[in-house]
Amino acid sequence: MTGTRPAGDAVRLTGIAKSFGAVKALAGVDLAVGVGEMLSVVGHNGAGKSTLMQILAGTLRPDAGTIEAGGRDVGAGYDVRRAHALGIRCVFQELSLCANLRVFENARVMHGSLRGPGWRRRARRLIRSVLDDIFPGHGIDPDRPTGELSIGERQMVEIARAYTVSRTPVRLVILDEPTSSLSATAAEQLLAYVRRAAEGGISCVFISHRLGEVLQHTDRVVVMRDGRVVGGGAARDLSHEQLVGMMGVVTEEAAGVAHPAGRPEADRPVLVEVPAAAGGITLRAHAGEVVGLAGLDGHGQRDLLHRLFRAAHRSGGRERVAGPAAYVSGDRQREGVFPLWSVGHNITVGLMGLLSRLGILRTGEERRVADEWRQRIDIRTPDMGRPILDLSGGNQQKALIARALAGPARVVLFDDPMRGVDVGTKRELYRHVARNAAEGRCFVWYTSENEELTNCDRVYVFYRGVVTDEIPRAELTEDRVLRSSFREVEAVAS
């Protein structure tokens, strides 16, 4: 964050307003991004950040306001094609790659100049070179079908594609929750690259709920709440607490967030048991317990959650799960939402049998259940009949968690479900987890954010598919988690 930036604004938005029916998403927002500036926009889910970025990217048109790029008004007829011609690119939180195309073919989608003889070779070379620049050692084959990639790999491809240049130079890149699906190493690589690009004059609008990244890596912060800019300043002059306060999020103490104190295991049945493998540790989760899964991403945590979900619905196998289970994925677009359905239907889909009589769905009862859960976990929508994709990412995730909690599941499997969710919404959801655990449910929770592990009674650390450590909450430290994340158990090392 040192050095001298070129003078002037890359883009300037003035008086931007946007409504969706009765919902006012933006209420006269002013925003300027300097040439070569790393600007962060933060706020609660539903604050208007993504709507503002869609307007800047040309995918939405404002109801009022002006857009300037390079000092010129470009608002008339401004759309995605015009934005690209001006060198403005966007990586949205909900990834937009075509799953049926190969990686290099997805690069071709953005570059009309890649045509004629040899375009495939040029497209492969283009996406590979940028992937290598941003994410050294990424291991992504440009010929691989995009649908076969993990969510982290898809995120890397989408980011790299935004920085590719075939004809028009890149002048500004919008990154909406870019690190939410990346490993810690890949996130550090990205942030270092974005800083280098900014020093070369490429501006960046960086949206993240990881406030540590915001304060450490960006030049300036703008805080939004309820469709307005409510504060901000130079990142070096702000603290985590100041940002949280401007966002309108209460402290944990005021919100009544109670961390588990280590509930006794006596007289509580074991609902999940996974025998030790290859010299590791047996994993157990009791009724009323929140059990965390930690370690480097890709070391078997998600595979275990999938196996547990299968074990809950059929006999056999090494894993034992007592009672029905619900699964909540952080990859909501591929494994979570029914995109053509309403918010209400997405919540009640697992309850159709209970809400039917003689094979006929009781629609009034279904609406009552959906509205009850809207109020319980504060899903921000005036109408549960709206399409779920109309909601912000955090509110979509709330709906998926409501689906899991509304059903009869005794075991709830969390696969990094807070990905891309703001700090206030996270705290709301932590309270619901603690409350449901106190009522006897069991949670098995994989998270890529170590600070979330403090919500767990016990944590199991994975390395190469083996549980290498079992850590009671009273003994939980980041250092111990990191050391156990690289520990070879004896049976594996021998």
Side-chain angles (χ1 to χ4, degrees), residues 91-154:
V91 177
F92 291 112
Q93 184 178 352
E94 309 301 346
L95 302 182
S96 61
L97 299 174
C98 300
N100 61 320
L101 299 182
R102 289 174 287 180
V103 170
F104 79 87
E105 291 169 332
N106 269 283
R108 163 67 177 80
V109 169
M110 184 175 283
H111 297 285
S113 61
L114 289 175
R115 58 179 182 266
W119 75 263
R120 291 176 177 83
R121 182 183 67 257
R122 298 197 304 275
R124 287 187 184 95
R125 185 170 59 244
L126 179 65
I127 191 65
R128 183 187 291 114
S129 66
V130 180
L131 277 168
D132 290 344
D133 285 346
I134 304 177
F135 304 107
H138 54 82
I140 297 172
D141 182 354
D143 282 293
R144 192 173 174 192
T146 307
E148 295 180 1
L149 302 180
S150 69
I151 186 171
E153 290 171 328
R154 299 200 313 272

Side-chain angles (χ1 to χ4, degrees), residues 262-270 286-287 289:
R263 294 175 280 270
E265 296 179 5
D267 301 324
R268 291 191 289 111
V270 174
H286 297 77
E289 191 172 36

Side-chain angles (χ1 to χ4, degrees), residues 2-241:
T2 61
T4 302
R5 289 192 290 104
D9 293 330
V11 295
R12 178 177 289 273
L13 287 72
T14 305
I16 299 296
K18 183 67 179 179
S19 295
F20 299 96
V23 179
K24 184 173 288 187
L26 297 172
V29 174
D30 297 338
L31 183 76
V33 187
V35 176
E37 181 180 30
M38 282 188 68
L39 173 72
S40 186
V41 180
V42 301
H44 199 287
N45 283 116
K49 307 182 303 296
S50 293
T51 301
L52 185 64
M53 292 306 105
Q54 288 184 62
I55 288 171
L56 178 55
T59 60
L60 275 180
R61 291 192 176 181
D63 299 331
T66 61
I67 303 172
E68 296 178 17
R72 293 178 297 145
D73 188 335
V74 297
Y78 186 72
D79 57 11
V80 173
R81 182 172 296 184
R82 179 73 172 136
H84 279 204
L86 292 167
I88 298 172
R89 310 278 182 84
C90 186
V91 177
F92 291 112
Q93 184 178 352
E94 309 301 346
L95 302 182
S96 61
L97 299 174
C98 300
N100 61 320
L101 299 182
R102 289 174 287 180
V103 170
F104 79 87
E105 291 169 332
N106 269 283
R108 163 67 177 80
V109 169
M110 184 175 283
H111 297 285
S113 61
L114 289 175
R115 58 179 182 266
W119 75 263
R120 291 176 177 83
R121 182 183 67 257
R122 298 197 304 275
R124 287 187 184 95
R125 185 170 59 244
L126 179 65
I127 191 65
R128 183 187 291 114
S129 66
V130 180
L131 277 168
D132 290 344
D133 285 346
I134 304 177
F135 304 107
H138 54 82
I140 297 172
D141 182 354
D143 282 293
R144 192 173 174 192
T146 307
E148 295 180 1
L149 302 180
S150 69
I151 186 171
E153 290 171 328
R154 299 200 313 272
Q155 187 97 52
M156 286 190 274
V157 171
E158 184 112 35
I159 292 167
R161 186 175 70 163
Y163 280 97
T164 54
V165 175
S166 61
R167 179 176 294 171
T168 304
V170 178
R171 294 185 172 88
L172 181 143
V173 177
I174 303 163
L175 298 176
D176 190 351
E177 295 293 342
T179 63
S180 61
S181 301
L182 300 180
S183 67
T185 298
E188 290 174 3
Q189 291 173 335
L190 171 63
L191 291 165
Y193 178 86
V194 173
R195 171 53 58 195
R196 295 196 303 272
E199 291 170 353
I202 300 177
S203 307
C204 177
V205 179
F206 182 80
I207 299 175
S208 177
H209 294 307
R210 297 178 176 180
L211 299 186
E213 292 179 344
V214 168
L215 294 173
Q216 183 178 354
H217 294 281
T218 61
D219 300 309
R220 185 165 57 95
V221 184
V222 168
V223 182
M224 293 187 67
R225 186 170 73 226
D226 298 328
R228 293 177 170 84
V229 172
V230 296
R236 64 176 177 273
D237 298 331
L238 296 169
S239 68
H240 185 284
E241 292 72 21

